[in-house]
Amino acid sequence: MQFMQGRYGIDSLNRVITWFVFGIIIVNLFIRSGTLNLISLLLLIYLYFRMFSRNYTKRYQENQWFVSKVSPIQRFFQRQKNHAIQRRSYRLYKCPKCKQMVRVPKGKGRIAICCPKCREEFVRRS
Ligand SMILES: [Zn+2]
């Protein structure tokens, strides 16, 4: 407790490094590569360096940089997941005129779809 006082500790970047090291160690149980071993060791050193660092501002900036790189990727996967859930009961079409995504219920045969944004009508199988 005393030791951790004024030290940086755990943030998202450190958490990801931890999982990464853990993953490498698991994989390396099977393939036993010296290079992977070295990589996991270096990552572990970097992880502890960041955790015990007293330079809070610098570590915080590193984490902010990391989060800014990762969040667009997270958003992309979130969107894919969302679409997958919607596709179970809806069909998604892009409006041919304004490219707006339009959601229609599945299994209604050929229907005329009216774009809610630009009022363009187009016929699709639902
Ligand atoms: Zn439209």
Side-chain angles (χ1 to χ4, degrees):
M1 270 306 197
Q2 200 84 77
F3 181 69
M4 283 308 284
Q5 208 131 61
R7 309 218 181 223
Y8 185 66
I10 309 235
D11 59 9
S12 340
L13 178 53
N14 276 351
R15 218 166 287 137
V16 167
I17 295 174
T18 309
W19 280 110
F20 211 72
V21 169
F22 192 65
I24 291 176
I25 289 172
I26 298 286
V27 169
N28 216 15
L29 282 180
F30 299 100
I31 58 176
R32 297 181 181 280
S33 140
T35 320
L36 273 185
N37 214 358
L38 187 68
I39 290 172
S40 68
L41 189 69
L42 290 175
L43 276 173
L44 215 59
I45 292 168
Y46 183 58
L47 172 71
Y48 280 108
F49 159 74
R50 290 195 77 246
M51 258 167 70
F52 299 137
S53 170
R54 290 181 187 277
N55 191 346
Y56 196 91
T57 324
K58 191 83 208 305
R59 300 291 87 77
Y60 180 76
Q61 280 167 356
E62 284 168 5
N63 190 53
Q64 287 302 100
W65 176 86
F66 172 72
V67 169
S68 76
K69 294 293 163 209
V70 159
S71 62
I73 304 169
Q74 278 177 328
R75 268 203 299 277
F76 172 80
F77 281 110
Q78 189 59 49
R79 201 174 305 130
Q80 295 308 308
K81 195 179 151 199
N82 227 334
H83 281 180
I85 291 168
Q86 296 207 1
R87 270 194 202 101
R88 282 179 208 153
S89 35
Y90 298 97
R91 267 182 189 281
L92 298 172
Y93 288 111
K94 216 177 244 178
C95 169
K97 200 169 155 195
C98 70
K99 308 292 174 214
Q100 165 77 36
M101 285 298 258
V102 185
R103 193 181 77 169
V104 293
K106 255 182 179 175
K108 306 270 183 211
R110 280 174 72 82
I111 52 169
I113 301 163
C114 180
C115 171
K117 200 169 157 195
C118 68
R119 298 276 142 211
E120 169 84 353
E121 269 202 28
F122 52 102
V123 177
R124 294 282 185 281
R125 283 191 65 85
S126 69

